[in-house]
Amino acid sequence: MTQDLDIRFVAFGLIVLAILGALFAPAMPFTIDGVIYTDMAKAMSENGSFAIASNGGVDGAPALSKEITFENNGLAYPLYPSGYAIIAAPFYALMGVRGLILMNGLAFLGCAFLVYHISRRFFADRFIHIASLTVFVVATFVTNYVTAIWPHMLALLTWLGAIACAISAAEETSDLRRTWMLIASGLVIGLGISIRIDSILIYMVLFIWLRVFSRPADRLAPLWLSSGLLPGLVLSALMNAEKFGIFTPLSYGPSSGATQLSSYAVILTAGGLSFLALWLLNFPAIFSTLNERLGPRNLLLASVTATGIALFIAGGFIFDTLYGVYVLVFNLQAHNAYTQAGVELNEYGHLLFWGYPKKALIQSLPYLPLLLIPGFWFFRGKHVKAVSLCLLAIAAPITFYALNQWFGGGSYNLRYFIPTLPFIAILSAAALHDLTKVAGSVSRPVLLFAGVSAAGLYVGMQALGQAVPSLYAPAALYPQWIIAFLCACFVVSFLHFRRPTIAKATLVVSSFALIYGALVSLADESGHEKARAELRGYAQVISSALPQNALVLTTLPVLTMHAQHNGTSIMIPLEDNIDETIRATDAFARAGRCIYFHNPIVTDLLEPHLPDGTISKVPSWAGREKFPGDAKLAFFTLSSQKDACSF
């Protein structure tokens, strides 16, 4: 009875958190991605359209494109999957931007429930169920995305929903019910692909899990899973055909999707052949037969030889992928694959996002070494189905994004790794249970001391970083390495000796790591909300200054989103759409509309393509009393419109 009350109390707390987030979090996107997703929900809600912009109702103007859009038949379409727009439209109609936050809050509640549910299906002990939920909610960065305008919570809900269905199917004794559960799992994956394309990774995870670890003798299970996937793929293909003129489910538009698939031809071919072999062959049975006939030593030798051959054939690719794993999991400061606006090196050579240190996975979750304990179980044949599925779900996003060191751009942590967090939480909880079982009781004062020490270290590191600029990034990032290393040392010692004293020490160090990770995530969330509140302040003064029928050329669409929703037309000028931007400028000028060039970045981009003196040298300033002299609030007009359009 007490345990039921405990989980009800937790559920009530999460519901309150979701409601408070929807009501009081800044109703602002964090980056341009959030602007596009808001536009998608607004367009679907108000117009029933996938297109987020037209020509602003001005004859002769092209589609008013943005950075992440594609022009087709005079309309600007978002490159992102449009399943999000369909789901988000009712929430936007209900509460506007806050409706999108509410939608994410509800999705988060669903994710929390499914983390609890999946841990119950995998492990019998209630400690693991409660600890899984606690670690997921408190000690990961998932809460950074509950009040954000991003699709990650919706996509994660499909990840967990599909996996929950597959687990139920694997345990089902009725062939008919198993079939329908696998089809349901595929349907949920298809829905996920219409929200985020990387949701296809769920299908790969479950295909491998069913064939190798869960039901290796059942070749029908992956086929039923695949059949359920088809409707979602067709839906995504139909939406992409409407937007891009290409009938393909896995595309971010002609310039970055299907036309680029040829560059992945070798990987796609190798992957397809591997999955065909995985479906045709019963690898566990083959491994067992080889082990019996060759013996463990010869089998190990054969495995080493095969690994050597693989390294010889694809050594460069394997090395690049492993380096990507190192970058994303351990040391994002070593990133060298590409550059991105807003993510830049400071004067000390540290990689920052908007002046804030950007973290690798272990720098957000310094307790990751706890996963060595369930990993050890796996190789000992214990909890194989549970641990294998969790490890596959963790490895899939990490490996995929390691291919190109994709780190998610505008965020303080690795948002592309959100799908790993529930399974890291479940395995961490299982490890904590094992430690607790061996350690017996650990006094509360000792655990309290660990928590206070973690908080003291975190506060001290932040103070050090603020006091010494050269240590700003190291103080925010490198203590987690030390904590994780100590945690790993104690975990390895525990696995080797399994003594109560070592288990107690490991539990204390792990608690320290968990609390430090929770503080890191809390600070990220605080910074996230603070940044959005600041952006909202800028957006409000800009919206109050700009006329409704004007055209604003800007590279800062977050700041002009309120103005756009009040009737101002927005276009983002880029190097590859200069001609279209000038056409839009000419058309709006002929229509007698005011045109504004937002901040010197835009004027520097466009002035070389315009006659001398076209743009006025003296800007108008929005919110000059509140933000005096801030370049983000400088709006230049056409010289011919200076008197009529200045403010």
Side-chain angles (χ1 to χ4, degrees):
M1 183 67 176
T2 302
Q3 293 176 339
D4 290 337
L5 288 175
D6 288 342
I7 193 62
R8 290 172 189 170
F9 178 78
V10 171
F12 176 76
L14 293 177
I15 292 171
V16 170
L17 176 65
I19 294 173
L20 290 177
L23 293 177
F24 298 108
M28 280 293 293
F30 189 53
T31 65
I32 185 176
D33 292 0
V35 175
I36 298 296
Y37 283 114
T38 302
D39 289 347
M40 291 165 63
K42 185 174 186 294
M44 183 58 65
S45 171
E46 297 178 354
N47 306 316
S49 174
F50 294 132
I52 62 173
S54 61
N55 66 351
V58 175
D59 291 339
L64 303 179
S65 59
K66 294 183 178 176
E67 188 173 358
I68 314 172
T69 58
F70 173 75
E71 184 179 349
N72 187 16
N73 293 325
L75 298 172
Y77 290 95
L79 299 185
Y80 295 136
S82 289
Y84 174 89
I86 297 172
I87 298 170
F91 292 93
Y92 187 89
L94 179 66
M95 295 176 63
V97 176
R98 292 204 177 278
L100 305 182
I101 299 175
L102 176 63
M103 177 184 68
N104 278 346
L106 295 175
F108 169 67
L109 293 177
C111 291
F113 167 78
L114 287 171
V115 168
Y116 181 78
H117 172 76
I118 291 171
S119 68
R120 288 187 64 186
R121 301 303 294 261
F122 277 157
F123 300 100
D125 197 282
R126 191 171 180 80
F127 174 94
I128 299 177
H129 311 155
I130 299 295
S132 297
L133 181 58
T134 303
V135 172
F136 174 67
V137 172
V138 176
T140 73
F141 50 82
V142 68
T143 50
N144 292 193
Y145 301 89
V146 175
T147 61
I149 303 170
W150 258 318
H152 296 293
M153 283 298 99
L154 279 179
L156 181 61
L157 186 62
T158 64
W159 270 76
L160 294 171
I163 287 174
C165 289
I167 293 170
S168 297
E171 296 174 350
E172 185 57 66
T173 56
S174 165
D175 290 343
L176 181 61
R177 286 196 291 267
R178 183 188 312 117
T179 297
W180 281 114
M181 290 304 295
L182 288 168
I183 292 174
S185 180
L187 286 170
V188 176
I189 296 171
L191 175 63
I193 291 170
S194 76
I195 299 168
R196 277 191 60 87
I197 289 178
D198 60 2
S199 297
I200 190 66
L201 296 173
I202 322 170
Y203 170 75
M204 299 178 183
V205 165
L206 291 178
F207 191 104
I208 295 171
W209 182 68
L210 288 168
R211 287 298 296 139
V212 178
F213 300 107
S214 179
R215 302 184 62 81
D218 183 1
R219 289 189 177 87
L220 287 177
L223 295 183
W224 293 125
L225 178 72
S226 303
S227 67
L229 179 64
L230 289 177
L233 293 178
V234 172
L235 172 64
S236 292
L238 288 171
M239 289 190 290
N240 286 337
E242 168 72 16
K243 292 160 57 178
F244 312 132
I246 297 177
F247 187 79
T248 175
L250 306 177
S251 174
Y252 279 111
S255 63
S256 59
T259 58
Q260 297 297 316
L261 289 179
S262 59
S263 61
Y264 298 97
V266 175
I267 297 175
L268 291 173
T269 301
L273 292 174
S274 298
F275 271 75
L276 178 61
L278 196 61
W279 180 72
L280 290 172
L281 303 175
N282 186 335
F283 278 90
I286 293 172
F287 178 83
S288 179
T289 300
L290 290 175
N291 190 44
E292 290 178 5
R293 295 185 178 181
L294 299 178
R297 184 174 298 177
N298 289 332
L299 183 59
L300 177 62
L301 179 62
S303 300
V304 171
T305 303
T307 302
I309 294 171
L311 288 172
F312 177 78
I313 295 173
F317 171 77
I318 293 171
F319 173 81
D320 289 344
T321 303
L322 290 175
Y323 183 77
V325 171
Y326 163 73
V327 167
L328 298 182
V329 175
F330 296 100
N331 184 19
L332 198 62
Q333 299 296 311
H335 183 276
N336 61 7
Y338 58 90
T339 59
Q340 185 165 341
V343 184
E344 300 167 346
L345 296 176
N346 66 5
E347 59 185 305
Y348 306 105
H350 302 138
L351 192 69
L352 307 179
F353 167 65
W354 288 0
Y356 192 86
K358 193 166 172 64
K359 291 172 287 297
L361 186 62
I362 205 167
Q363 291 164 336
S364 293
L365 314 177
Y367 53 87
L368 274 181
L370 281 173
L371 272 59
L372 293 171
I373 295 175
F376 181 77
W377 298 343
F378 173 79
F379 287 107
R380 288 295 184 92
K382 180 181 178 182
H383 297 302
V384 170
K385 288 184 181 180
V387 176
S388 62
L389 181 52
C390 288
L391 291 179
L392 285 169
I394 294 168
I398 291 175
T399 304
F400 176 73
Y401 286 108
L403 293 174
N404 292 289
Q405 299 179 34
W406 286 338
F407 56 76
S411 56
Y412 298 148
N413 39 55
L414 293 182
R415 60 189 178 94
Y416 289 166
F417 287 177
I418 289 175
T420 70
L421 301 181
F423 306 98
I424 290 173
I426 291 171
L427 293 184
S428 297
L432 291 172
H433 177 256
D434 194 27
L435 289 168
T436 304
K437 187 170 61 175
V438 175
S441 62
V442 178
S443 65
R444 289 186 178 180
V446 172
L447 294 177
L448 180 62
F449 175 77
V452 172
S453 299
L457 177 62
Y458 180 80
V459 172
M461 288 296 100
Q462 301 313 299
L464 176 64
Q466 294 296 326
V468 184
S470 62
L471 296 179
Y472 175 58
L477 302 175
Y478 300 157
Q480 292 91 303
W481 283 351
I482 299 172
I483 295 168
F485 176 75
L486 291 174
C487 186
C489 290
F490 277 90
V491 165
V492 171
S493 298
F494 165 73
L495 289 172
H496 182 70
F497 295 105
R498 286 192 71 83
R499 294 176 183 170
T501 53
I502 297 177
K504 289 180 180 181
T506 306
L507 197 56
V508 171
V509 173
S510 301
S511 299
F512 184 100
L514 282 159
I515 293 168
Y516 201 94
L519 292 170
V520 169
S521 296
L522 179 62
D524 284 354
E525 172 58 11
S526 175
H528 182 248
E529 300 304 328
K530 181 180 177 181
R532 289 166 65 202
E534 182 178 332
L535 292 169
R536 179 179 59 186
Y538 283 112
Q540 287 171 341
V541 298
I542 289 174
S543 179
S544 64
L546 294 173
Q548 290 186 354
N549 62 354
L551 171 65
V552 177
L553 305 174
T554 181
T555 56
L556 302 172
V558 176
L559 303 187
T560 56
M561 191 183 80
H562 283 189
Q564 178 186 339
H565 290 183
N566 288 333
T568 302
S569 296
I570 305 297
M571 186 174 188
I572 299 181
L574 302 167
E575 292 287 354
D576 59 359
N577 73 347
I578 296 292
D579 291 342
E580 289 82 1
T581 302
I582 294 175
R583 281 174 52 208
T585 302
D586 291 341
F588 272 74
R590 288 195 302 271
R593 307 280 191 93
C594 290
I595 298 160
Y596 296 97
F597 303 82
H598 184 196
N599 75 55
I601 296 174
V602 174
T603 59
D604 291 345
L605 176 65
L606 295 178
E607 276 184 331
H609 304 277
L610 296 169
D612 290 343
T614 299
I615 302 175
S616 172
K617 299 297 183 183
V618 180
S620 295
W621 295 92
R624 68 180 69 199
E625 296 83 8
K626 189 174 182 180
F627 304 100
D630 193 322
K632 291 189 287 292
L633 299 173
F635 289 83
F636 299 83
T637 64
L638 291 173
S639 297
S640 60
Q641 296 182 339
K642 184 176 180 181
D643 293 336
C645 298
S646 295
F647 51 80

